[in-house]
């Protein structure tokens, strides 16, 4: 039997269950494993599993499912460890339906293993009634939850039109991220986002952050990736594997946390704009021993528990609301239409140029050196 496994998110990896389940599946046949999502890549590196779980491509979970479909495997498992049984089951419903929209035939069984080890964990057979479902339920001591139960319990109430989207499993005081941009904070355990003309215009159960909405811009609310709370819950010891060699001093510009930071692993230095972008990017780049020069304004939403930074990184804190203004001038003056420059030979030259640019804007700033 050829088995495809899609691993989503850092929690299933940090918990140790991803590896346990992969080893269990090997009792049934030949197993291939891919990651679905972005934040899980850091967890794979920290767990030294990059030779077990393929993280070579940035893929959303439904795309990872489709690759296995095209490879004609016999069964596909989707492994997830959601914040709650509700968020995990709703996640699976949306991933499965996005996957179905991408294929012509739906003849490969899809089985989700959700929150293994928890009392509310489950096995969800999205399109099949394989004996393997009952076997997994018994071996893992997880209840079998049907797609109909997921729809009736969590999805049916969502059918209020494409201009509204209910977000499940939230708690008061959590950040709301849409496509990797923080757009507000919850103040209730029930959250609904409302959009008009492809822009989020209102919220029920939270407060919007105008600066975040400006960064987000247009969005398809139906297909957007929405998360609340911390992106990674476990407190971990980061594993440093070093960066890819580049013969010249390569400086890269990054102004959006949703970009694929991993593609910059051959950079000598990365300039990041925004508090959360700097936090997430520096934490990832720490694994590759790549310093950052961050442009922030102190408006941190804390989307990860601990943000690691490489020694000798430099963080500029400018006046409130000026991080984007400074970032735009840095991009225009230092990079032009490109995202990469080789015009500098060390971090001090980059720092001096940024100071010059900030002073020309007449913006107050302070510098924090990471030692």
């Amino acid at each position: 039997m050829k088995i495809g496994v899609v691993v989503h998110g850092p929690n299933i990896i940090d918990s140790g269950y991803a590896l346990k389940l992969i080893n269990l599946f090997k009792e049934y046949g030949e197993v291939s494993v891919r990651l679905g999502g972005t934040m899980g890549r850091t967890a794979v590196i920290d767990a030294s599993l990059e030779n077990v779980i393929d993280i070579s491509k940035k893929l959303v979970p439904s795309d990872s499912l489709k690759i296995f479909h095209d490879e004609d495997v016999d069964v596909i498992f989707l492994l997830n460890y959601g914040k709650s049984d509700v968020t995990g089951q709703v996640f699976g419903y949306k991933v499965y339906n996005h996957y179905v929209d991408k294929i012509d035939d739906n003849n490969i069984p899809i089985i989700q293993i959700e929150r293994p080890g928890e009392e509310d964990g489950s096995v969800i057979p999205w399109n099949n009634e394989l004996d393997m479902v009952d076997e997994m339920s018994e071996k893992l001591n997880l209840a079998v939850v049907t797609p109909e139960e997921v729809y009736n319990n969590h999805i049916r109430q969502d059918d209020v039109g494409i201009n509204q989207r209910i977000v499940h499993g939230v708690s008061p005081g959590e950040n709301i991220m849409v496509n990797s941009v923080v757009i507000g904070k919850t103040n209730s355990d029930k959250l609904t986002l409302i959009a008009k003309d492809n822009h989020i215009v209102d919220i029920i159960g939270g407060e919007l952050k105008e600066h975040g909405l400006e960064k987000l811009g247009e969005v398809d609310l139906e297909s957007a990736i929405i998360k609340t709370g911390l992106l990674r819950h476990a407190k971990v010891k980061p594993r440093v594997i070093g960066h890819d060699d580049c013969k010249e001093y390569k400086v890269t510009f990054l102004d959006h946390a949703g970009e694929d930071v991993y593609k910059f692993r051959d950079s000598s230095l990365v300039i990041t704009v925004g508090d959360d972008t700097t936090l997430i990017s520096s934490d990832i780049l720490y694994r590759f021993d790549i310093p950052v020069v961050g442009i922030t304004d102190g408006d941190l939403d804390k989307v990860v528990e601990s943000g690691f930074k490489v020694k000798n990184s430099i963080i500029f804190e400018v006046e409130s609301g000026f991080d984007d203004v400074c970032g735009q001038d840095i991009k225009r003056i230092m990079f032009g239409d490109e995202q990469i420059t080789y015009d500098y030979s060390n971090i001090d030259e980059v720092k001096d140029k940024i100071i010059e640019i900030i002073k020309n804007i007449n913006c107050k700033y302070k510098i924090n050196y990471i030692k």
Side-chain angles (χ1 to χ4, degrees):
M1 176 181 287
K2 293 174 63 177
I3 301 170
V5 181
V6 177
V7 178
H8 174 260
N11 297 331
I12 189 73
I13 300 163
D14 292 335
S15 69
Y17 272 100
L19 186 57
K20 290 178 184 178
L21 291 169
I22 291 167
N23 289 333
L24 174 61
F25 300 150
K26 288 180 179 178
E27 298 176 11
Y28 292 84
E30 177 187 343
V31 178
S32 299
V33 191
R34 285 189 176 88
L35 190 72
T38 300
M39 289 306 297
R41 289 165 107 176
T42 308
V44 169
I45 291 170
D46 289 342
S48 300
L49 292 176
E50 57 264 49
N51 292 327
V52 177
I53 303 173
D54 185 351
I55 58 172
S56 60
K57 297 179 180 178
K58 182 184 180 183
L59 299 166
V60 296
S62 57
D63 284 339
S64 292
L65 290 174
K66 183 179 185 301
I67 289 175
F68 281 127
H69 172 275
D70 294 343
E71 292 175 353
D72 201 26
V73 299
D74 297 303
V75 61
I76 306 174
F77 283 93
L78 173 62
L79 310 185
N80 186 61
Y81 207 117
K83 188 170 58 176
S84 68
D85 59 332
V86 176
T87 59
Q89 291 171 18
V90 171
F91 159 80
Y93 177 88
K94 293 184 180 298
V95 168
Y96 174 70
N97 282 278
H98 287 155
Y99 157 76
V100 170
D101 289 341
K102 298 175 182 180
I103 60 176
D104 295 325
D105 55 79
N106 190 19
N107 55 4
I108 297 177
I110 307 292
I111 302 172
Q112 180 176 347
I113 308 292
E114 179 58 45
R115 287 173 61 83
E118 301 287 349
E119 291 185 1
D120 59 4
S122 56
V123 179
I124 309 171
W126 285 109
N127 60 347
N128 64 89
E129 297 180 358
L130 293 181
D131 292 339
M132 187 180 284
V133 172
D134 293 328
E135 289 182 35
M136 290 296 154
S137 171
E138 184 175 343
K139 287 186 176 182
L140 300 172
N141 194 29
L142 298 175
V144 176
V145 175
T146 67
E148 291 74 23
E149 288 177 287
V150 175
Y151 179 80
N152 289 330
N153 292 337
H154 310 307
I155 305 299
R156 185 187 297 276
Q157 60 187 355
D158 285 6
D159 293 340
V160 292
I162 62 172
N163 290 324
Q164 294 188 38
R165 173 134 168 217
I166 296 173
V167 183
H168 297 269
V170 304
S171 299
E174 293 183 327
N175 294 315
I176 306 164
M177 295 187 73
V178 179
N179 293 345
S180 300
V181 177
V182 177
I183 59 102
K185 192 176 287 289
T186 61
N187 58 22
S188 169
D189 59 0
K190 296 181 180 179
L191 177 66
T192 302
L193 299 179
I194 302 170
K196 181 180 180 181
D197 297 328
N198 290 326
H199 287 82
I200 294 175
V201 295
D202 202 358
I203 189 173
I204 301 172
E207 297 179 2
L208 290 175
K209 179 181 177 182
E210 290 300 327
H211 188 46
L213 292 177
E214 291 173 6
K215 280 190 173 182
L216 179 65
E218 289 194 5
V219 61
D220 179 355
L221 197 56
E222 183 71 14
S223 62
I225 298 174
I226 301 175
K227 299 180 181 180
T228 60
L230 295 173
L231 296 178
R232 190 177 184 184
H233 297 271
K235 294 183 178 180
V236 298
K237 181 180 179 180
R239 173 173 164 246
V240 179
I241 61 177
H243 62 275
D244 297 341
D245 289 333
C246 180
K247 293 181 180 178
E248 299 180 77
Y249 194 81
K250 180 178 180 180
V251 183
T252 307
F253 183 84
L254 174 67
D255 65 351
H256 193 286
E259 290 192 64
D260 186 1
V261 180
Y262 292 86
K263 69 182 180 181
F264 303 142
R265 57 184 296 174
D266 65 341
S267 298
S268 308
L269 173 70
V270 177
I271 298 174
T272 58
V273 178
D275 291 76
D276 295 303
T277 296
T278 298
L279 182 69
I280 295 171
S281 303
S282 63
D283 186 72
I284 292 172
L285 293 169
Y286 184 91
R287 275 76 181 173
F288 306 115
D289 197 27
I290 299 173
V292 303
V293 173
I295 313 299
T296 71
D297 68 353
D299 185 21
L300 180 62
D301 292 298
K302 195 180 180 183
V303 291
V304 294
E305 186 65 49
S306 299
F308 296 96
K309 296 179 180 67
V310 170
K311 182 180 178 181
N312 297 326
S313 291
I314 299 172
I315 308 300
F316 284 85
E317 185 174 334
V318 299
E319 294 178 62
S320 178
F322 272 82
D323 53 347
D324 283 341
V325 176
C326 294
Q328 290 169 5
D329 274 16
I330 290 168
K331 175 69 167 61
R332 176 177 56 82
I333 295 169
M334 296 178 64
F335 294 85
D337 295 329
E338 304 298 326
Q339 193 172 28
I340 296 167
T341 182
Y342 298 95
D343 292 342
Y344 305 88
S345 57
N346 56 61
I347 192 170
D348 288 328
E349 288 185 12
V350 173
K351 177 197 69 175
D352 291 342
K353 187 63 179 178
I354 290 176
I355 289 174
E356 177 187 322
I357 292 170
I358 294 176
K359 285 183 175 179
N360 286 336
I361 304 173
N362 291 321
C363 173
K364 295 179 181 178
Y365 69 92
K366 66 179 180 179
I367 303 178
N368 297 310
Y369 296 92
I370 308 301
K371 299 180 180 179

